[in-house]
Amino acid sequence: MAALATPLSAQSVPVPPQSVPVPKPAPKSRTQLSASETQRGPSVTGTTQTQPPDPVIPDPRRNVPSSIFTTFDANQKAQAAKVSAYLSSLQTLVGNFVQVGPDGSKTTGDFYIQKPGKVRFEYNPPTPIEIIADGSSLAVRDRNLATQDIYPLSQTPLRFLLSDRIDLMKDTNVVSVTADDVFISVTIEEKQALVGTSRLMLMVGAKDGQLKQWTVTDPQGYDTTIAVYNLDTSKKVDPGLFKIDFTKYPTSPG
């Protein structure tokens, strides 16, 4: 994600959070993309194909306040409500994605969403990863090793994208709402006692109101960004895409 903070392992042993949908490599130095170098992600419905966008990488030096809810003005609350209404309106969503890891590496693939609670991310070769959520569990699968790790969907920020209905200002801890001519950005903070604080920043188009990308910041401060494009909200999705196979892909040992 699709990225999002990974919960505890099946043995309830604290592990460092990592991005979902793909495990992150060790962070290295990276170069911040300038505004002129970033391509604002295109918004397409139907079957029109566009070129992959360059994800807009957040400034790694940014420092979001822990809580500024009481300072939100009417316009910020209206922008958050607009994003909430858009996310709640989605029932199916199919498209392509570009993921940028904390070391600057890029991976691409296709994704399928069926609300509530179901998603599949398929990464293009040579990345062997697939991410599948069946409504209650989320599996991170490695096709090469024929193994998968299972997490409760409720413990990953993916649930915000997959919820049937969501009110960001009511159901989450929103710490920032910003808007310009290109994006509306909403940042959600999550605090977990054993693993620390993570953040999810959702970005939708200011003009068309469609999802453009999201960035997950893990408790160590490392970002994983996923930009989406070629979005189609009318395509029927095969329910079989969201089945977690526990026979061919047994859960990997802890």
Side-chain angles (χ1 to χ4, degrees), residues 172-196:
T172 69
N173 184 25
V174 173
V175 296
S176 176
V177 180
T178 61
D180 56 26
D181 292 339
V182 182
F183 295 117
I184 301 171
S185 302
V186 179
T187 301
I188 301 165
E189 183 176 82
E190 289 205 301
K191 295 181 179 179
Q192 299 183 26
L194 295 179
V195 298

Side-chain angles (χ1 to χ4, degrees), residues 21 95-99 107-111 121-123 226-229:
N96 310 118
F97 68 87
V98 179
Q99 176 173 301
T107 49
T108 61
D110 307 318
F111 74 93
F121 287 90
E122 295 181 346
Y123 287 77
I226 290 185
V228 294
Y229 64 109

Side-chain angles (χ1 to χ4, degrees), residues 6-195:
T6 298
L8 303 184
S9 67
Q11 288 75 26
S12 297
V13 177
V15 296
Q18 61 188 12
S19 292
V20 175
V22 69
K24 297 184 297 193
K28 305 173 186 177
S29 62
R30 66 185 183 193
T31 302
Q32 175 80 12
L33 294 178
S34 68
S36 62
E37 293 171 324
T38 57
Q39 175 184 342
R40 305 307 191 179
S43 161
V44 177
T45 56
T47 58
T48 302
Q49 296 295 303
T50 63
Q51 293 299 313
D54 285 330
V56 179
I57 308 302
D59 184 349
R61 298 163 298 181
R62 71 193 186 282
N63 183 22
V64 181
S66 60
S67 178
I68 56 172
F69 178 82
T70 56
T71 68
F72 289 159
D73 60 27
N75 183 59
Q76 289 173 307
K77 292 180 180 180
Q79 298 288 11
K82 182 177 179 180
V83 175
S84 298
Y86 166 70
L87 295 177
S88 296
S89 73
L90 294 176
Q91 290 303 309
T92 61
L93 187 64
V94 176
N96 310 118
F97 68 87
V98 179
Q99 176 173 301
V100 179
D103 65 344
S105 61
K106 285 187 179 181
T107 49
T108 61
D110 307 318
F111 74 93
Y112 309 85
I113 289 175
Q114 174 71 64
K115 293 171 62 178
K118 297 178 180 179
V119 70
R120 184 184 184 100
F121 287 90
E122 295 181 346
Y123 287 77
N124 292 328
T127 306
I129 299 298
E130 292 176 340
I131 307 302
I132 303 169
D134 63 2
S136 60
S137 299
L138 184 143
V140 181
R141 174 184 297 172
D142 187 314
R143 294 189 301 271
N144 288 351
L145 299 178
T147 60
Q148 63 188 357
D149 295 308
I150 306 295
Y151 307 101
L153 179 61
S154 62
Q155 294 183 23
T156 77
L158 269 175
R159 69 184 186 276
F160 297 130
L161 293 175
L162 303 179
S163 296
D164 203 15
R165 296 194 62 81
I166 185 171
D167 182 340
L168 291 173
M169 298 298 283
K170 179 181 178 182
D171 301 335
T172 69
N173 184 25
V174 173
V175 296
S176 176
V177 180
T178 61
D180 56 26
D181 292 339
V182 182
F183 295 117
I184 301 171
S185 302
V186 179
T187 301
I188 301 165
E189 183 176 82
E190 289 205 301
K191 295 181 179 179
Q192 299 183 26
L194 295 179
V195 298

